[in-house]
Amino acid sequence: MSTYDPAALECLAAIVEEGGFERAAQRLNVTQSAVSQRLRALEAQVGSVLIVRSRPLRPTSAGQLLLKHTKQMRLLRADLERDLQELAPSAPGGSRDDERISIAINADSIATWAMGALHDLVRQRLPLEIIVDDQDFTQEWLRSGQVLGCVTTLKQALRGCKMVPLGAMPYVAVASASYAQQHLPQGLTPHNFREVSFLSFNRKDDMAAEFVARAFGLKRVALNHLFVPGSEAQMRAVAAGWAVGVMPELMARQALADGSMVDLAPGRSLPIQLYWHCWNLESELLDALSGALTGAAAQALVS
């Protein structure tokens, strides 16, 4: 089996993670020419193109395999660093910024329960990178080898990975009290939801449409959207009376309790089942990540 130059593998990872040769060179503190040379040497060794020179750059299938291998090597080094710190607590940490441990989590989980789960690991100097994406798409980051774990709505584990159910996050339809009184005094109904706007993260976010369709037994739903890319930003937009928001009940709970927001469909919620997927490897660090996330989810989500 071929032995691949660690510097060349990290160069490949830097190109993909930074989105280009120039930024990869800046991160690795080498010239752009050196980045190109390392990549060409690695491609020659593999016998295959590893990067598609598109906008944005993306790894080929062979590139994805090497990228996953590189991140597995990072995980092993992070495990070693963790063990060495336990043996010699006064020794300086050796983790490098370009050896980040990457996971993909949906924005609503980050805004509610997941950040607290990661607190202790970050305090232990884990070089963590959180990639935020829609819960229906975070698994693609794992599939491509760009992260070692993800929180997703997809149940089927990928090859070489394991899956743990986290629980359900209930979503409710809310609006500010003044917005509800002016536009939806009777709450949401099958007859008036087209008269108001709904908040969405982006054009691939179908949460609001799914909520309305399930709440009223409709097959196809077309909504008026305002696009606000951020969980906390959406809460501020709801509070400011911009539109209706289909929000995690965890986020809206306090505002509903104090009356500043109104539940527009009492008794109706959309439970989104979440799962933690990660590489099926023996790793203390990966086990610690999995344990932290599943433990926090058990307290915050509905089993």
Side-chain angles (χ1 to χ4, degrees):
M1 180 178 178
S2 298
T3 299
Y4 299 104
D5 179 9
L9 291 172
E10 283 296 340
C11 180
L12 170 65
I15 294 169
V16 174
E17 292 168 351
E18 299 296 336
F21 287 74
E22 183 178 356
R23 292 182 62 182
Q26 292 173 354
R27 184 172 112 181
L28 299 175
N29 197 28
V30 298
T31 65
Q32 190 170 336
S33 175
V35 169
S36 298
Q37 290 172 8
R38 290 180 188 179
L39 178 64
R40 283 199 298 269
L42 188 59
E43 288 179 328
Q45 183 179 5
V46 174
S48 175
V49 173
L50 301 176
I51 294 288
V52 178
R53 274 73 166 176
S54 58
R55 290 181 181 245
L57 294 174
R58 58 183 177 84
T60 63
S61 296
Q64 288 179 2
L65 288 176
L66 287 181
L67 184 61
K68 181 176 181 179
H69 173 72
T70 304
K71 289 185 176 288
Q72 289 174 343
M73 293 302 100
R74 288 181 185 175
L75 184 60
L76 290 174
R77 287 192 291 269
D79 272 335
L80 176 61
E81 179 65 25
R82 184 185 178 96
D83 291 340
L84 288 174
Q85 283 289 308
E86 291 180 359
L87 291 174
S90 60
S95 296
R96 294 163 19 200
D97 179 65
D98 63 339
E99 293 193 350
R100 291 168 288 184
I101 303 301
S102 303
I103 58 177
I105 304 180
N106 60 306
D108 288 338
S109 290
I110 286 293
T112 51
W113 61 271
M115 287 290 286
L118 301 169
H119 180 69
D120 287 343
L121 290 170
V122 171
R123 291 193 65 184
Q124 296 169 22
R125 304 176 69 181
L126 174 70
L128 182 67
E129 177 183 22
I130 300 174
I131 294 172
V132 178
D133 203 344
D134 185 274
Q135 60 266 13
D136 293 340
F137 298 92
T138 47
Q139 198 181 50
E140 290 305 313
W141 292 88
L142 183 62
R143 188 190 308 275
S144 66
Q146 297 185 67
V147 300
L148 58 81
C150 68
V151 174
T152 179
T153 55
L154 302 181
K155 184 177 181 179
Q156 183 64 41
L158 298 175
R159 180 180 178 183
C161 297
K162 56 186 176 183
M163 181 277 292
V164 180
L166 294 175
M169 179 178 287
Y171 283 73
V172 292
V174 297
S176 68
S178 58
Y179 186 96
Q181 183 176 11
Q182 180 179 356
H183 299 285
L184 298 166
Q186 306 302 319
L188 275 177
T189 73
H191 310 291
N192 65 10
F193 68 83
R194 295 183 182 86
E195 299 171 8
V196 294
S197 295
F198 288 79
L199 295 170
S200 294
F201 276 75
N202 50 41
R203 296 182 184 276
K204 65 183 182 182
D205 177 12
D206 61 354
M207 183 72 70
E210 187 175 356
F211 179 93
V212 172
R214 290 198 187 183
F216 304 124
L218 304 174
K219 291 185 178 180
R220 300 184 63 181
V221 172
L223 302 179
N224 299 314
H225 291 282
L226 290 180
F227 297 107
V228 178
S231 301
E232 292 88 349
Q234 285 197 6
M235 280 295 291
R236 292 197 296 272
V238 171
W242 284 22
V244 174
V246 176
M247 309 296 298
E249 188 274 336
L250 282 170
M251 290 189 70
R253 185 176 297 169
Q254 181 58 47
L256 291 172
D258 65 27
S260 58
M261 289 186 186
V262 175
D263 186 343
L264 299 172
R268 293 187 174 97
S269 67
L270 177 63
I272 299 298
Q273 296 288 334
L274 297 176
Y275 304 89
W276 167 247
H277 295 248
C278 65
W279 295 340
N280 190 16
L281 298 173
E282 290 188 13
S283 164
E284 291 183 5
L285 180 56
L286 191 53
D287 289 345
L289 262 173
S290 298
L293 288 168
T294 54
Q299 296 183 18
L301 305 182
V302 178
S303 59

